[in-house]
Amino acid sequence: MITNLNASFSNISNNIKRSAIREILKLTQNPEVISFAGGLPAPESFPVNDLNEIVSTLLKEDGPASLQYDATEGILELRELLVEKYRAEGINCTLQNLIITTASQQGLDLVGKIFINNNDSIICGSPSYLGGISAFTSYGAKIHSIELDEFGLRADLLEQKLKELQKAGTKPKFIYIIPDFQNPTGITMPESRRLEIIALAHIYDILIVEDSPYREIRFEGQTQRTMYELDKDNHVITLGTFSKIVAPGFRIGWVLAPPEINEKIVIAKQSTDLCTPTFVQKIAVRYMKSPYFLTNLNKTIELYKHRRNVMINQLERNMPKGVTWTVPEGGLFLFLTLPEHMDAEQLFYKAVENKVAFVLGKVFYSNGKITNTLRLNFSYVNDEKTILGIQRLSYLIQRELQLCVV
Ligand SMILES: Cc1ncc(COP(=O)(O)O)c(C=O)c1O
């Protein structure tokens, strides 16, 4: 080994923080622990048999071509299908607006790569998806966080922050938003708030990065138009993915953006992975064209809706007074708030001892100051375990509250 390996590591590698969630998940790997911690889709929702059939016909019909390199932008047929899907929703886009990425995490990383210089400012909700924040901070981004309310990122505080930064001569590179069933809170931003934020983006001439992996998993209520559609002036980059609508092991996502931005992303992607696996893209095309796609998606939505209801029902029955939670209209998570004086971290270790786990809300706040929240995933665990897990958690919270009073 060379003498001073640390001195050889790049600034980017030194900026990358070990994921707090991955570390926490290690503690929850014991199969006896009922874990609401991961952001995992239900394995029962993965279309194993359908894909088995599709893969064997693909290999028979396309042979070696299905295993060849292809364009960095993604294979044409898949891009066409996704453009068609957006156009059917009323979104005005063409092939030039849409490129394929190796799932949306790569989209976030490439957005960071093409926009962020060391010390550049960006704006995020607080709390927000940790994987997004890490992708941006690895390129040296300085994060300015804006509190959320029940409708998502607060436009009044955003305006205040933008004014403040403008006075200081700083122009943030973009605003990072997860408008649909946000990770970690489950909150969906209504159209009025989306429009307020877009208006601010226009006034202050800033891009918006709209990250929406859960959008299609809606149980009830009105689908909200994407920020991409609402913006009429090329200020929005939207990221989508197959991870929650087919399977995360696909590792296929996409970027919907103005062509000038996509050109840069494609160049950046060339040096990252040349192209997203052709084989999986071809499987995705056949799967999307088959009747299985919509049938399975609808089944997945029904399953998660049921699991959300089971969790909410148990929370209502068992949680002591003073504990509140969000009731998401879709997605995979809800966010629970303990009474202010309670520390979720202390609860976490006791919970793992008692074989139930969650993710500390604290890790999703860039300042780490809010310590009484937790994220619960409802998509992965079956009914029986959800009932037992929420009972265990409620009992522990009740006991902590009694100890606090004594
Ligand atoms: C908000 C958000 N964005 C992006 C991702 C990354 O998803 P993927 O890379 O699987 O598409 C996730 C994963 O859970 C997420 O919650």
Side-chain angles (χ1 to χ4, degrees):
M1 184 60 76
I2 65 166
T3 44
N4 190 353
L5 185 61
N6 278 341
S8 293
F9 286 131
S10 67
N11 292 339
I12 286 186
S13 95
N14 288 328
N15 280 339
I16 300 170
K17 303 258 172 350
R18 202 177 271 277
S19 157
I21 295 187
R22 295 269 167 275
E23 295 303 300
I24 283 171
L25 287 181
K26 280 189 201 154
L27 293 176
T28 67
Q29 309 250 289
N30 174 350
E32 285 178 17
V33 173
I34 298 174
S35 179
F36 302 123
L40 302 180
E44 307 89 293
S45 72
F46 300 158
V48 177
N49 292 333
D50 306 338
L51 290 180
N52 192 4
E53 186 190 313
I54 285 172
V55 169
S56 72
T57 23
L58 168 67
L59 286 170
K60 259 187 225 135
E61 289 174 12
D62 283 23
S66 60
L67 299 167
Q68 191 53 279
Y69 288 115
D70 209 298
T72 307
E73 289 84 344
I75 67 169
L76 191 59
E77 270 179 296
L78 184 58
R79 292 170 64 212
E80 278 170 353
L81 278 176
L82 291 164
V83 166
E84 219 175 88
K85 170 181 148 346
Y86 277 121
R87 290 179 73 87
E89 273 184 49
I91 297 176
N92 181 15
C93 62
T94 69
L95 270 181
Q96 282 183 309
N97 298 109
L98 195 136
I99 56 171
I100 304 297
T101 55
T102 306
S104 46
Q105 191 63 37
Q106 186 183 59
L108 292 167
D109 183 64
L110 294 175
V111 162
K113 196 170 176 180
I114 67 162
F115 285 116
I116 300 171
N117 291 320
N118 203 21
N119 269 330
D120 274 349
S121 289
I122 62 153
I123 295 184
C124 294
S126 180
S128 193
Y129 171 56
L130 200 61
I133 310 281
S134 319
F136 307 142
T137 50
S138 70
Y139 292 102
K142 208 167 141 197
I143 307 288
H144 299 272
S145 27
I146 305 292
E147 230 176 83
L148 311 187
D149 62 15
E150 77 227 79
F151 303 123
L153 192 138
R154 278 180 55 181
D156 56 335
L157 295 181
L158 174 64
E159 184 168 20
Q160 215 171 296
K161 175 59 75 182
L162 290 170
K163 265 190 198 148
E164 203 180 284
L165 288 172
Q166 194 179 51
K167 245 191 192 163
T170 302
K171 183 168 164 177
K173 285 287 169 76
F174 54 79
I175 309 166
Y176 173 58
I177 299 186
I178 307 154
D180 302 290
F181 321 122
Q182 196 240 22
N183 183 1
T185 61
I187 291 171
T188 295
M189 189 179 274
E191 185 164 317
S192 54
R193 179 67 58 86
R194 293 177 194 224
L195 287 169
E196 276 181 89
I197 292 177
I198 290 166
L200 287 170
H202 289 176
I203 295 170
Y204 288 87
D205 196 29
I206 304 175
L207 291 168
I208 292 173
V209 176
E210 173 182 40
D211 181 16
S212 198
Y214 308 102
R215 179 173 167 75
E216 290 84 359
I217 310 289
R218 175 173 276 283
F219 314 142
E220 65 228 353
Q222 182 78 42
T223 298
Q224 300 298 309
R225 286 195 280 172
T226 59
M227 295 180 92
Y228 187 91
E229 182 182 354
L230 293 169
D231 165 56
K232 303 278 182 257
D233 194 32
N234 282 340
H235 278 64
V236 181
I237 301 167
T238 292
L239 308 180
T241 179
F242 281 114
S243 288
K244 308 300 181 319
I245 57 175
V246 183
F250 253 37
R251 308 311 299 140
I252 306 185
W254 57 90
V255 176
L256 186 65
E260 310 86 291
I261 293 181
N262 274 347
E263 270 166 38
K264 280 278 187 199
I265 292 182
V266 168
I267 295 167
K269 183 171 159 64
Q270 276 166 1
S271 62
T272 300
D273 67 354
L274 300 180
C275 65
T276 295
T278 314
F279 189 51
V280 195
Q281 291 186 70
K282 287 192 175 253
I283 295 169
V285 167
R286 286 174 182 247
Y287 184 66
M288 271 187 93
K289 283 183 172 169
S290 79
Y292 305 135
F293 177 53
L294 280 182
T295 314
N296 285 336
L297 178 58
N298 288 332
K299 276 195 205 150
T300 304
I301 294 170
E302 279 310 306
L303 176 68
Y304 293 177
K305 180 179 180 180
H306 170 77
R307 290 188 170 174
R308 179 212 54 181
N309 289 346
V310 172
M311 186 175 274
I312 298 275
N313 188 278
Q314 284 307 304
L315 290 169
E316 283 169 354
R317 281 171 172 224
N318 296 290
M319 277 293 163
K321 248 178 109 186
V323 178
T324 58
W325 51 88
T326 56
V327 181
E329 290 185 337
L332 271 62
F333 307 108
L334 61 82
F335 207 56
L336 188 136
T337 305
L338 301 167
E340 238 168 63
H341 57 275
M342 268 188 84
D343 181 3
E345 192 155 355
Q346 277 182 23
L347 177 71
F348 174 77
Y349 292 105
K350 288 189 183 142
V352 174
E353 266 171 41
N354 286 276
K355 302 196 168 46
V356 58
F358 54 82
V359 179
L360 292 174
K362 188 169 91 169
V363 304
F364 302 102
Y365 293 89
S366 48
N367 62 15
K369 278 191 191 146
I370 304 224
T371 55
N372 64 329
T373 57
L374 38 130
R375 186 190 76 178
L376 297 176
N377 163 272
F378 51 78
S379 57
Y380 184 68
V381 174
N382 69 22
D383 294 1
E384 198 189 329
K385 286 187 173 171
T386 297
I387 293 171
L388 190 59
I390 296 295
Q391 284 171 354
R392 284 181 189 164
L393 196 57
S394 306
Y395 169 75
L396 288 169
I397 294 174
Q398 186 106 45
R399 211 177 59 184
E400 285 295 297
L401 279 173
Q402 278 159 0
L403 287 177
C404 291
V405 172
V406 175

